[in-house]
Amino acid sequence: MSQNQQSGDEASAESESLITTDVQPAETNRRSRSATILETRDLSVYYGDDRALTDVSIEIPEHSVTALIGPSGCGKSTFLRCLNRMNDLIDACRVEGEVTLRGKNVYDEDVDPVALRRQIGQVFQKPNPFPKSIRDNVTYGLEVQGKSATDEDVERALKGAALWDEVKDQLGSSGLDLSGGQQQRLCIARAIAPDPEVILMDEPTSALDPVAASKIEDLIDDLAEEYTVVIVTHNMQQAARISDRTAVFLTGGELVEYDDTATIFEDPADDRVEDYITGKFG
Amino acid sequence: MAVDRERAGAGFGEVSRVKGVAFRYVSFGASIVGLVALATLLVYVFIDAFDLANTNPVWLLVYFLTLVVPFIGFCLYSAGDRALTRRTALVLGGGLVATAVAFEAIELLITPIPRLTWQLAYLFVVVAPVVSYVVFVGAQKPVGATGFGLLGRTLGGAVLGTAVAILFIVLDMRLWFLVFTLGVVPAGAARAYGRYRGSGRALGLSIPVGVLGAVAAVFLRDVLRTYPTPPFIFIWTFGAPIALAAGLFVLNRGGTRRSAAAVGGVSLAAAAVGTVTGSSALPEGSAVLVFAAAAAPLAIHLHGVLDAEKGRVGLVLPVILGGGVLLGAALVGAFGIPGPDPWLDPGYLTEAPSRTAVEAGLYPAIVGSVIIIALVAVLSFVLGVGAAVFLEEYTADTGVVGAIARIIQINIANLAAVPSVVYGLLGLGLFANLLGFGFGTAVTAALTLSLLILPITVISAQEAIRAVPDELRQGSYAMGATRWQTTKKVVLPEAMPGILTGTILALGRAIGETAPLIMIGAATTVFSAPSNVWSRFSAMPMQIYAWANFPQAEFRYGVVAAGVVTLLIVLLSMNTTAIIVRNKLERDS
């Protein structure tokens, strides 16, 4: 993405940023001042008796990229899975607090988690296309909603995932025949085909090589024009590059700091965040 | 340090591998001993079934030269490997001498070998393995793939068609005609329309329409009095749909409309030929089904071969085999060489048991076995897959439900170890007595055998479902799919190869069971094939068991051996189907 800008701003970035690599924080505040779409209040999650998340409160603005970073086991993925109630599938998991999507608490009695998930797409760490044709992968979301998918739907979703040009002649072949990076973009196409409001990404590039990863990063930037993206990442440079806002979780499932990405990486309020970002801890 | 340097100066030393080497050879011996024992038994059964022990060696030589040698030549030509050709010739030639010498030496010095000659020993010990090996190698190359594909598909189609035709001995052909016309055709049409127009409503309607049509057919069956002739029913319900499916298959694979029409036409023409030939022991008109089922895969395969432009030479394989048989027969006839008088001949397969060994046949038992297996396949597949899906996908791991599921799980594993006689007792008490399905009827037998293999099907289906990666389920749930949608669209298609393999192997066990059948009072010998599922029947293992107790030696050796070979052929073809289906599905996904 911003290779050129990066080198141009190198000097200033180096002097200000706490992280050692020459990364320019995303076009700051581009979209982060828009209305809140997702909000959590005092969200706590328990696996049996273990507490995985502690009173997390966060407001995620519409049409933005929000990065969740933190050391392993700090509850980032758990938090992400709370947003579309994928944690319901784990028997021992118990959720307290509120998650609201456009003001409606998704943990209310009258909310059907299956219907909720049709509003929120998810992309996983390991590319997991279904062992079906590329077309069937893309139309899966519409199909389970009982809608018939047209060729235009398929084309729009694949174009949205920047995959169309590579696969337009082989829509009937298996999604598993694609390369890892292509598979992950197919998963993104699958997620955006039913036109959700929010897309959750759980370390979408960690299983990919750097070239494929940078393609996905570019894509995420484009996706934020239309969708709200929440992304978990282990890669701090990635968070700095692509996100508008960053939330830092630390061990114990605690949200330590949540602010504009530039602020987090240049002038964090919390010493522990500074230590984590500079690599002294975590 | 000094010590280290000394060691280094003395080389690296040696590490003993004696235990490992010993273990390797013991393991090899253990794996081979069972196979050798079984192979020896099968060789003797085979010799008895085909009366090879009394065969004139010249007769064997004639057919060896006219049939086996050209066949091996074909495989070697396909393999196109000079080294292999040389090795094959060496093994065949050297094997001849070695077998003859070893055989005579054993006979002279140690002990006479009963019912074997050195020529037969050569055939079984040297020729059979060599042939299977060159077939295996040759079939990998285009020429062999073409030839064996041709034979395999035609034969497989014919066997499948015959199996379905046998079912019509007990099924009501006219009811099937109505169900097909009123239920299957409209449902298929709705489905095709829905696919074509992208209309979800038409797709959703297809199942209710089909069910409604089937119900209407059941009512109309008693009202309607006139029906088309059986050959027409088979043309309409099997010939035409098979031809249509073959044509569509070719279209789907990228063939032109003309070739699709040709493939469909050939299939339909073959079906039409079936209307004029007799149907032998099968229901009237069902030759249509057998012919169509054999011709459709043959036509599709021919189309593929002619399209590929590679390995067309392989199409001569049937000519080589047919020519070999004819030439052999001509030579044998010209020189008046007496051939063997096999117990396993067409009459054996199409005639009823008899008091005399020469006239004895297995026909009613074969029909009984096929009908029972069809019922067991449906029952155990539905119940087994249902139970496995419930246990794997629908139960929680914790809480009361989780505890119950674990208890069920443990009990299913234990049930797999319960002796089959006990299941027979259960069938006798529950199905025959309590529910009144009758002693020794096909229904009682099928239900009992389904229960017997249910644990195996459940466990194997569970394994297959568990092997579906969890990421796929997560992906599906995250797309907003319900549990049922996830199971139906993602989990089951992915698990199907494993489920089918497990089920068919379990069916193999069911087809050979004797003890439960004895317990539920199945007849050892019946003289006519069962006419419906409520009639008394016999199964192949029962009949074989009965013959084995006959006082005449001809029964105990010849007739029993022929029955065993028939049973094994049925079993092997079932297992082959399982393997082919699994490979096919695995390649597709």
Side-chain angles (χ1 to χ4, degrees), chain B residues 37 46 54 89 109 112 131 146 185 194 209 229 280 351 356 372 382 408 411 443 531-532 541 547 552 562 570:
Chain B
F46 207 78
N54 306 320
L109 303 176
V131 166
T146 301
V185 170
V209 163
T229 58
S280 183
E351 278 163 23
T356 60
I372 290 171
V382 171
I408 295 177
N411 280 309
V443 173
S531 56
N532 63 57
W547 278 332
Q552 301 98 313
V570 172

Side-chain angles (χ1 to χ4, degrees), chain A residues 81 84 86 89 91 114 117-118 120-122 124 126 128-132 140-141 143-144 148 174 176 190-191 194, chain B residues 198-200 395-398 471-483 485-486 489-490 493-494 588-589:
Chain A
R81 296 165 56 89
N84 63 348
M86 284 294 276
L89 300 172
D91 288 330
V114 172
R117 287 180 207 131
R118 294 178 178 183
I120 302 180
Q122 186 171 2
F124 295 83
K126 206 175 136 210
N128 60 347
F130 300 127
K132 299 165 181 283
Y140 187 82
E143 232 170 63
V144 297
S148 57
S174 171
L176 295 176
R190 181 175 77 185
Chain B
S199 150
T395 53
D397 293 336
T398 53
E471 289 105 52
L472 293 182
R473 287 189 192 89
Q474 298 276 329
S476 175
Y477 287 131
M479 295 300 299
T482 59
R483 204 181 283 267
Q485 285 171 327
T486 303
K489 288 171 183 264
V490 175
E494 187 68 0
D588 285 352
S589 62

Side-chain angles (χ1 to χ4, degrees), chain B residues 30-275:
Chain B
S31 60
I32 212 104
V33 70
L35 285 178
V36 169
L38 195 64
T40 313
L41 172 74
L42 290 184
V43 164
Y44 272 101
V45 169
F46 207 78
I47 289 175
D48 282 347
F50 291 97
D51 187 32
L52 294 179
N54 306 320
T55 310
N56 187 338
V58 182
W59 188 89
L60 286 178
L61 179 69
V62 167
Y63 275 102
F64 180 73
L65 291 179
T66 59
L67 194 60
V68 179
V69 171
F71 180 69
I72 293 178
F74 172 83
C75 296
L76 290 175
Y77 171 78
S78 168
D81 181 352
R82 273 165 184 279
L84 179 69
T85 312
R86 224 174 301 129
R87 241 181 315 149
T88 310
L90 198 70
V91 170
L92 284 179
L96 186 69
V97 179
T99 321
V101 170
F103 192 89
E104 296 301 332
I106 292 176
E107 290 245 280
L108 261 179
L109 303 176
I110 306 172
T111 169
I113 301 172
R115 310 168 76 75
L116 265 182
T117 58
W118 68 264
Q119 292 96 336
L120 283 176
Y122 172 66
L123 280 184
F124 283 110
V125 176
V126 179
V127 177
V130 166
V131 166
S132 9
Y133 181 70
V134 293
V135 164
F136 175 75
V137 175
Q140 319 266 337
K141 296 283 162 59
V143 175
T146 301
F148 292 117
L150 191 75
L151 287 185
R153 271 157 236 246
T154 313
L155 208 64
V159 167
L160 212 64
T162 311
V164 177
I166 287 178
L167 293 186
F168 276 93
I169 294 176
V170 294
L171 291 180
D172 183 353
M173 204 184 293
R174 294 173 167 183
L175 178 63
W176 162 244
F177 168 72
L178 289 177
V179 168
F180 181 82
T181 314
L182 300 175
V184 178
V185 170
R191 214 171 166 72
Y193 177 81
R195 275 281 158 79
Y196 181 64
R197 284 292 170 93
S199 150
R201 203 145 51 105
L203 279 178
L205 268 178
S206 70
I207 290 177
V209 163
V211 171
L212 213 67
V215 172
V218 172
F219 279 110
L220 277 177
R221 174 68 182 92
D222 290 334
V223 180
L224 283 179
R225 285 275 155 251
T226 47
Y227 289 92
T229 58
F232 178 81
I233 291 181
F234 276 106
I235 285 268
W236 165 240
T237 60
F238 286 105
I242 290 176
L244 184 70
L248 286 178
F249 183 85
V250 169
L251 263 190
N252 251 344
R253 215 172 52 177
T256 60
R257 274 161 188 275
R258 235 180 55 206
S259 52
V263 166
V266 168
S267 312
L268 202 59
V273 170
T275 57

Side-chain angles (χ1 to χ4, degrees), chain A residues 58-75:
Chain A
I58 200 170
E59 289 179 10
I60 294 171
E62 207 171 357
H63 298 309
S64 67
V65 179
T66 303
L68 311 177
I69 61 173
S72 296
C74 68

Side-chain angles (χ1 to χ4, degrees), chain A residues 208-276:
Chain A
L208 304 179
D209 69 85
V211 177
S214 91
K215 275 190 187 159
I216 303 268
E217 284 183 15
D218 290 352
L219 181 58
I220 290 169
D221 204 50
D222 297 336
L223 287 176
E225 301 291 337
E226 261 187 84
Y227 309 97
T228 305
V229 179
V230 184
I231 177 169
V232 166
T233 176
H234 263 304
N235 180 334
M236 277 180 282
Q237 286 79 17
Q238 184 176 63
R241 275 197 298 270
I242 63 175
S243 69
D244 303 301
R245 289 177 72 79
T246 299
V248 185
F249 288 77
L250 290 181
T251 315
E254 196 186 342
L255 174 62
V256 183
E257 193 166 349
Y258 174 52
D259 212 326
D260 285 342
T261 300
T263 316
I264 295 280
F265 281 96
E266 285 158 24
D267 184 23
D270 196 296
D271 288 344
R272 288 178 294 171
V273 174
E274 186 173 334
D275 288 349
Y276 175 64

Side-chain angles (χ1 to χ4, degrees), chain A residues 78-90 95 99 105-114 116-117 120 122 200, chain B residues 477:
Chain A
T78 300
F79 174 77
L80 199 73
R81 296 165 56 89
C82 282
L83 301 181
N84 63 348
R85 291 187 61 172
M86 284 294 276
N87 278 334
D88 289 20
L89 300 172
I90 301 170
V95 178
V99 176
N105 183 6
V106 304
Y107 282 94
D108 273 352
E109 290 278 317
D110 61 342
V111 171
D112 180 353
V114 172
L116 169 73
R117 287 180 207 131
I120 302 180
Q122 186 171 2
L200 309 177
Chain B
Y477 287 131

